DNA sequence: GCAAAAGTGTTTTGTCTACACCCATGA
DNA sequence: TCATGGGTGTAGACAAAACACTTTTGC
């Protein structure tokens, strides 16, 4: 590939940083790693890496997340490109932030240890390197506006889940309580839930019925959008 | 600034491309330029340029838009970073797309001529270079979702405007007709409009009252968001 | 039998939609 | 006087919000 027309221009280092949200049934958490290289080695950070000459930003994000979690097919979206001149004291580096949603039980424990990774409740997120706290904040705002119009359960919940779990997820995202009667009425009216003849007895004596998503209707709503809250 | 820690990584050319929307009172238009350098000289394109080593992406967008329009203080937001490997046949170039809203009467005619710039109605946008049609489409979707929850009139309308003009703007953004009774009721209930004792007689014999935005309430809604449509 | 969570309906309130006529004016 | 666009009100449909009791079952 020729760059003959552009040779007089500056080129820059471009990184990808991933904000990974997970849900453990009651709290929304973010995956952080203890940075193992300079500058700022030892501080908490988002998982990131540099984009290679021959890969797209999306591909870089997939590569980096796979390295951290061992997972493929992660739900992921580009969030924003952070491009202040001095955002990284190690040099002029742009960072394209991606945000990802994963089922907290799917990731590889092994890789977690390898990367010194840890799940943090959103309230307890520590001070991060560079502008990573800003990225985290932007990602939280994004998931909130996203969840208001699009179903986000598939990515964050196990395949079988209960209505109370789904409600917990929404309550965690918005950090507020909802009325269970209104919540279940709303969700059931969307025709994206299929009730199973099986109960989860883990969190109550009576037990709560499991549901799965109706993939077809779910994907349609994911694409078209709906009013959730 | 040192890049000692990162010297083994690839660096890339990073451009900024600006989708500029303007409103002429009845139609929503986009500002395009005839490209005056290779590759693809002579084709229609978004206004763009490369980010310098010592400027942020936001600053680059401001610089590039000022060069095109002569305007400062343009309403502008980052849209998305387009980073496919082969998006630009001239080399590996990332592009950060910005979208901007301007009052179509404010821009400098002089600079328009200098840059071979032209306003195109959204329906008539021609084939553009690279992935610029994709950027345009993303920008249109963005302004639509933005306008649904945030007032966008300040940037696109003159300081004094009439209710029919404001309605025309929304109709242009959504490419659909609205009921004027419902529209005025909704807008007036938001407390962001101040009625002036003065009429615009340009488009009717009776004349339509001018309004200005109540800056304080407007900015609050711009920030917090509201339900517009 | 009691504690703990699941499940279920109704009423009220507010918001969105649809719809039609009169007004002011310049030509 | 008439053609043109500006301005205004009401009724019905629908969606959101508030609210409390019964069910199941493990202990």
């Amino acid at each position: 590939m020729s760059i003959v027309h552009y040779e007089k221009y500056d080129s820059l280092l471009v990184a990808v940083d991933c904000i990974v949200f997970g849900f453990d049934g009651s709290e929304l958490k973010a995956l952080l790693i203890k940075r193992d290289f300079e500058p700022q080695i030892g501080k908490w950070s988002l998982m990131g890496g540099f984009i290679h000459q021959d890969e797209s930003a999306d591909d870089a994000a997939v590569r980096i997340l796979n390295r951290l979690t061992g997972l493929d097919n992660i739900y992921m979206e580009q969030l924003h490109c952070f491009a202040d001149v001095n955002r990284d004291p190690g040099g002029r580096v742009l960072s394209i932030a991606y945000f990802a949603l994963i089922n907290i039980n799917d990731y590889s424990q092994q890789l977690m240890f390898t990367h010194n990774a840890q799940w943090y409740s959103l309230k307890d997120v520590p001070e991060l390197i560079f502008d990573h706290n800003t990225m985290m904040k932007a990602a939280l705002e994004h998931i909130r506006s996203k969840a208001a119009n699009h179903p986000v359960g598939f990515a964050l919940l196990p395949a079988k889940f209960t209505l109370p779990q789904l409600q917990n997820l929404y309550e965690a995202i918005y950090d507020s309580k909802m009325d269970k009667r209104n919540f279940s009425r709303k969700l059931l009216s969307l025709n994206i839930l299929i009730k199973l003849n099986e109960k989860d007895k883990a969190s109550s004596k009576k037990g709560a019925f499991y549901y799965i998503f109706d993939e077809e209707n779910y994907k349609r709503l994911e694409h078209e959008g709906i009013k959730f809250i």
Side-chain angles (χ1 to χ4, degrees), chain A residues 58-77:
Chain A
D58 290 358
D59 289 344
V62 168
R63 169 174 58 79
I64 287 161
L65 267 178
N66 178 266
R67 185 150 53 89
L68 173 60
T69 63
L71 301 177
D72 291 315
N73 292 330
I74 296 180
Y75 180 88
M76 187 187 298
E77 284 181 55

Side-chain angles (χ1 to χ4, degrees), chain A residues 11-218:
Chain A
S11 68
L12 309 172
L13 290 166
V14 184
V16 160
D17 287 301
C18 300
I19 300 99
V20 182
F21 288 124
F23 182 63
D24 68 356
S26 70
E27 273 192 304
L28 195 61
K29 302 197 169 186
L31 190 56
L32 301 176
I33 63 168
K34 200 171 256 181
R35 190 166 160 106
D36 61 357
F37 56 96
E38 288 292 354
Q40 306 207 19
I41 188 168
K43 282 191 72 173
W44 289 98
S45 149
L46 298 171
M47 183 78 186
F50 289 95
I51 297 183
H52 300 161
Q53 179 71 229
D54 59 352
E55 74 180 347
S56 70
D58 290 358
D59 289 344
V62 168
R63 169 174 58 79
I64 287 161
L65 267 178
N66 178 266
R67 185 150 53 89
L68 173 60
T69 63
L71 301 177
D72 291 315
N73 292 330
I74 296 180
Y75 180 88
M76 187 187 298
E77 284 181 55
Q78 191 190 117
L79 188 62
H80 190 83
C81 178
F82 292 83
D84 280 358
V85 175
N86 296 308
R87 54 170 296 282
D88 182 335
R92 168 65 149 129
V93 181
L94 266 65
S95 171
I96 308 177
Y98 278 75
F99 104 116
L101 303 178
I102 79 178
N103 180 331
I104 214 163
N105 302 307
D106 283 350
Y107 68 90
S108 153
Q109 279 287 354
Q110 179 56 43
L111 287 165
M112 287 276 288
F113 285 116
T114 311
H115 289 93
N116 284 303
Q118 197 171 313
W119 288 102
Y120 273 93
S121 291
L122 292 187
K123 319 183 200 315
D124 303 330
V125 166
E127 194 195 335
L128 306 175
I129 61 164
F130 309 167
D131 49 2
H132 287 196
N133 287 100
T134 307
M135 293 178 179
M136 182 71 81
K137 201 159 151 254
L140 183 58
E141 274 168 31
H142 184 80
I143 195 180
R144 283 181 177 160
S145 77
K146 179 97 190 172
N149 300 297
H150 301 268
V152 292
F154 244 138
L156 285 163
L157 290 168
K160 294 192 303 188
F161 55 88
T162 65
L163 275 185
Q165 281 170 11
L166 188 57
Q167 181 170 347
N168 284 342
L169 170 58
Y170 275 84
E171 291 182 341
I173 290 173
Y174 294 105
D175 194 20
S176 70
K177 284 285 171 198
M178 297 172 184
D179 182 279
K180 62 182 172 175
R181 288 161 293 189
N182 293 337
F183 184 84
S184 76
R185 184 180 19 246
K186 174 80 104 3
L187 269 287
L188 293 173
S189 75
L190 296 174
N191 280 320
I192 54 174
L193 298 181
I194 298 172
K195 190 176 188 170
L196 301 184
N197 243 330
E198 188 189 352
K199 282 187 167 185
D200 166 34
K201 298 267 210 170
S203 63
S204 80
K205 289 154 186 170
K206 182 177 179 182
F209 280 104
Y210 278 118
Y211 288 81
I212 55 175
F213 284 110
D214 178 331
E215 288 211 32
E216 203 168 322
N217 283 329
Y218 185 94

